[in-house]
Amino acid sequence: MFEKDDLHDALLHRICIDLSSRLVEIEMAYYASSDDRQRTPGVLRIEGVGSLSAILGLMSLDSHARFGNFVSWVPSAHGHGYLYLANGCIQVAYERYEIC
């Protein structure tokens, strides 16, 4: 079942971290619904970031880009999220997020 914020098979383009505003923006192209056949440009905007850890295999992410780099985005009600990638993971503690 497709979940709105799952982000499965999205393409990772850029990760921007603004330390002074505690903001992380992950630029991507994603499927907005399970019926879509083309990815839509978007941003996973994570605000009020308290901590962020990332392990990224950049060469593997690049070679897997045609299929999509994201495995899933798993946010929680407790303000912790995990972005699982084709070869890596980003863990973030936050106050709120949105996909725009």
Side-chain angles (χ1 to χ4, degrees), residues 4-5 7 10-17 23-32 39-47 70 73 83 96-100:
K4 176 181 168 279
D5 294 345
L7 301 177
L11 296 176
L12 174 64
H13 293 303
R14 182 187 317 241
I15 301 170
C16 300
I17 301 170
L23 172 69
V24 174
E25 292 182 325
I26 299 173
E27 296 175 17
M28 62 185 170
Y30 70 105
Y31 295 110
R39 293 177 179 97
T40 301
V43 175
L44 173 58
R45 182 179 170 90
I46 307 169
E47 300 174 345
F70 290 44
W73 161 242
L83 180 56
R96 69 193 144 279
Y97 82 91
E98 67 178 327
I99 298 171
C100 44

Side-chain angles (χ1 to χ4, degrees), residues 1-13 27-43 64-73 99-100:
M1 179 175 197
F2 182 82
E3 298 208 10
K4 176 181 168 279
D5 294 345
D6 179 69
L7 301 177
H8 182 70
D9 284 343
L11 296 176
L12 174 64
H13 293 303
E27 296 175 17
M28 62 185 170
Y30 70 105
Y31 295 110
S33 78
S34 61
D35 297 328
D36 287 354
R37 296 294 169 240
Q38 290 189 324
R39 293 177 179 97
T40 301
V43 175
H64 204 269
R66 186 170 64 111
F67 308 106
N69 311 105
F70 290 44
V71 174
S72 64
W73 161 242
I99 298 171
C100 44

Side-chain angles (χ1 to χ4, degrees), residues 57-65 69 86-87:
L58 298 182
M59 291 175 58
S60 294
L61 287 170
D62 183 50
S63 67
H64 204 269
N69 311 105
N87 187 11

